Amino acid sequence: MNARDDAMAEAEAFATIIPPGFVIGAATAAFQVEGGVHDGGRELSVWDEFTHQSGRILGGANADVAADHFHRVGEDVALMADLGIDSYRFSFGWPRLQPGGSGSLNREGIAFYDRLLDELLAAGISPMATLFHWDTPVELRGSWLNRDTAGRFGDYAYQVGEVFGDRVDRWVTINEPATVMLNGYALGIHAPGTTLLFDAVPAGHHQLLGHGLAVQALRAASVRGEIGVTNVHSPVSAATSTDEDEAYAALFDIVHNRMFGDATLLGRYPTIPEEFAVALRPLVEVSPEDLAIIHQPLDFYGLNYYFPTRIAAGTGSSSSPDGEAPALSALPFHLEPWPEFARTGFGWPNAPEFLGVALAELASRYGEALPPVYITEGGVSLPDTVLLDADTGVARIADSARIDYLSAHLESALSATAPGGAASAVDLRGYYVWSLLDNFEWAAGYSQRFGLVHVNFTTLDRTPKQSFGWLRRVLEARS
Ligand code: IFM
């Protein structure tokens, strides 16, 4: 057997652990792949503004072209069909569908997503659509700090539901409101770039309100698909067992995980320790009416998992997991490294066992209130290695580390949720690889490649990586 045969035999062996009916998909988001930012009546989002401010994005990159998916949608759906995924998770671009963030939907924007949905369905690929993956229209002044944005989002959700509700199988209202609040409003490394620290909390609360209003709107629009939300969870540990480290770890768990999970699934914010009651006043003083809007029955819960977090008291380095964040040094705690884990291209700890921990935390925190779960994102950025295939002489992108990452994470999730596993109470329904394509990775620009498919950002040529071949074989070989 040559190396290729070995790899295919490994993929076939791996396929045996995937339960029948378990959904395997790949994910992208509008701003990260579409490009065509001035085409088809699209207007600007806060991310367009942010990427054109100097010093915001590594290498001065912007997403004006990104992976040019807007012009290459046919080619990209053909790649998905070749890969054999069950489902594709994408996001509707808010400024493409509703330029300006109010009024009726843009016909050319509708035509683009009509085409995408029709081609997916013709290829037998089930669409999962996210309504908001960070591209707030610039006209919504104050953005998510302004409570009105939640109402605008509900209105947008209703119209999108009316137009596409017959073809989307699963709806995600909002993707990772924690990242938007923390990176965008608290630390200033994402759009809109404010460094409000704890004063950013209203941006989280308003997204949650927007989520609740969007669920109501989608139901009012009688969409036929299931409805959920996607939160990113990072299991949090204290660096030591001192009271201070424990207290800050609990604080981080609140603002990163619990604020979003508890509100959407339990209809309350977590109990705030007295010493943080002033900093987190909007959570302490929230009205029952707002919580009732946020707490909508969900058909599924979307979990994004990338890495665990270790917290220690005291100021630390100014780097967040997503880049330089000088505002971090104003906080009384910091993120400690995890030297025991290998690191991804981004420098994130590669810790598959913590995906099982994240699922077990969902089970223990939410019990009966937890609907079926989809892992709506998981993946790794790696530098490319271009190799010449010894048999064929053809250049290929060798990313065996991505194969290892994906198989270890899927294995961790499936064993944790199997009978007898720490998260056996979780009804885990699927896993979406982040990402289908190399794309625009926010503050890191084009420096972090997460794709199963390599994108040459000069020619825009697509080249499936070794991991694409592995996943294709896994998908073919499953029972
Ligand atoms: O690229 C992002 C995505 O937009 C949201 N979740 C994390 C990914 C990797 O950083």
Side-chain angles (χ1 to χ4, degrees):
M1 276 218 283
N2 62 27
R4 193 183 139 71
D5 293 337
D6 279 349
M8 290 305 123
E10 270 174 36
E12 284 155 27
F14 182 76
T16 61
I17 75 163
I18 298 178
F22 187 83
V23 172
I24 303 269
T28 64
F31 191 75
Q32 293 179 270
V33 295
E34 283 181 8
V37 293
H38 303 294
D39 296 341
R42 182 188 183 278
E43 285 180 17
L44 300 185
S45 72
V46 289
W47 268 97
D48 294 279
E49 238 177 29
F50 190 72
T51 49
H52 285 275
Q53 290 166 3
S54 97
R56 295 295 201 178
I57 310 295
L58 194 70
N62 62 56
D64 291 2
V65 176
D68 201 30
H69 173 72
F70 182 69
H71 297 109
R72 289 161 201 259
V73 58
E75 182 182 351
D76 291 340
V77 176
L79 278 165
M80 296 180 224
D82 181 30
L83 177 56
I85 44 176
D86 303 312
S87 178
Y88 174 53
R89 176 175 177 234
F90 67 98
S91 77
F92 288 115
W94 192 352
R96 187 175 297 291
L97 273 179
Q98 194 188 37
S102 60
S104 52
L105 298 190
N106 164 29
R107 286 223 315 272
E108 289 177 89
I110 294 177
F112 171 70
Y113 294 110
D114 268 342
R115 177 174 174 199
L116 170 63
L117 285 168
D118 292 345
E119 292 197 11
L120 288 172
L121 292 171
I125 299 168
S126 162
M128 176 187 270
T130 303
L131 282 168
F132 175 65
H133 198 126
W134 309 358
D135 45 358
T136 326
V138 278
E139 285 79 0
L140 300 181
R141 285 292 155 201
S143 220
W144 288 104
L145 286 175
N146 183 348
R147 190 181 167 93
D148 290 347
T149 299
R152 297 259 55 93
F153 183 63
D155 167 71
Y156 157 72
Y158 181 78
Q159 296 192 58
V160 177
E162 275 205 309
V163 174
F164 300 110
D166 56 336
R167 281 161 293 166
V168 171
D169 290 330
R170 282 180 204 96
W171 295 84
V172 171
T173 52
I174 295 200
N175 181 72
E176 296 187 15
T179 310
V180 174
M181 178 183 87
L182 296 170
N183 284 356
Y185 291 83
L187 300 177
I189 55 177
H190 282 183
T194 56
T195 49
L196 296 171
L197 300 177
F198 290 105
D199 291 340
V201 167
H205 178 66
H206 296 150
Q207 287 179 87
L208 286 165
L209 262 186
H211 153 76
L213 292 171
V215 176
Q216 291 177 341
L218 290 173
R219 301 226 188 268
S222 302
V223 301
R224 69 161 179 76
E226 296 178 344
I227 302 172
V229 66
T230 284
N231 285 324
V232 59
H233 284 254
S234 178
V236 181
S237 326
T240 71
S241 53
T242 61
D243 289 351
E244 266 205 305
D245 283 2
E246 297 275 5
Y248 286 120
L251 172 65
F252 191 82
D253 194 22
I254 289 171
V255 295
H256 193 283
N257 303 316
R258 298 199 81 125
M259 162 178 174
F260 300 94
D262 291 14
T264 50
L265 295 173
L266 302 176
R268 57 174 186 255
Y269 281 130
T271 307
I272 308 298
E274 220 180 293
E275 65 266 40
F276 305 126
V278 173
L280 300 182
R281 192 193 304 267
L283 305 188
V284 177
E285 294 179 354
V286 63
S287 74
E289 292 77 19
D290 278 9
L291 287 172
I293 293 172
I294 294 168
H295 187 211
Q296 297 296 316
L298 298 178
D299 302 311
F300 68 91
Y301 189 76
L303 165 70
N304 288 0
Y305 166 77
Y306 286 92
F307 52 83
T309 308
R310 181 148 55 192
I311 296 291
T315 52
S317 99
S318 63
S319 281
S320 89
D322 293 328
E324 273 299 292
L328 262 183
S329 51
L331 291 172
F333 63 86
H334 64 276
L335 279 63
E336 282 273 290
W338 292 89
E340 60 273 48
F341 292 117
R343 285 158 171 260
T344 71
F346 230 145
W348 297 346
N350 179 350
E353 53 273 53
F354 277 90
L355 174 52
V357 173
L359 287 159
E361 284 182 354
L362 289 184
S364 67
R365 289 176 180 184
Y366 304 120
E368 293 288 301
L370 183 69
V373 173
Y374 287 88
I375 296 169
T376 39
E377 283 180 30
V380 61
S381 66
L382 294 169
D384 288 334
T385 311
V386 182
L387 289 182
L388 281 189
D389 189 293
D391 299 329
T392 62
V394 173
R396 64 189 179 89
I397 314 290
D399 62 342
S400 59
R402 178 167 288 105
I403 298 173
D404 295 344
Y405 181 100
L406 292 175
S407 50
H409 282 73
L410 260 163
E411 219 168 318
S412 166
L414 291 172
S415 64
T417 52
S424 59
V426 175
D427 177 2
L428 183 65
R429 300 273 176 95
Y431 185 99
Y432 288 76
V433 177
W434 184 269
S435 174
L436 176 73
L437 303 170
D438 287 342
N439 59 49
F440 177 77
E441 178 51 38
W442 310 113
Y446 296 99
S447 68
Q448 300 300 322
R449 293 180 174 272
F450 278 89
L452 294 164
V453 176
H454 175 272
V455 176
N456 175 323
F457 290 109
T458 308
T459 62
L460 299 166
D461 287 345
R462 275 90 165 121
T463 309
K465 301 181 189 177
Q466 191 187 352
S467 55
F468 180 102
W470 169 82
L471 187 59
R472 180 169 54 187
R473 189 68 203 117
V474 170
L475 292 168
E476 275 167 4
R478 356 170 238 185
S479 50

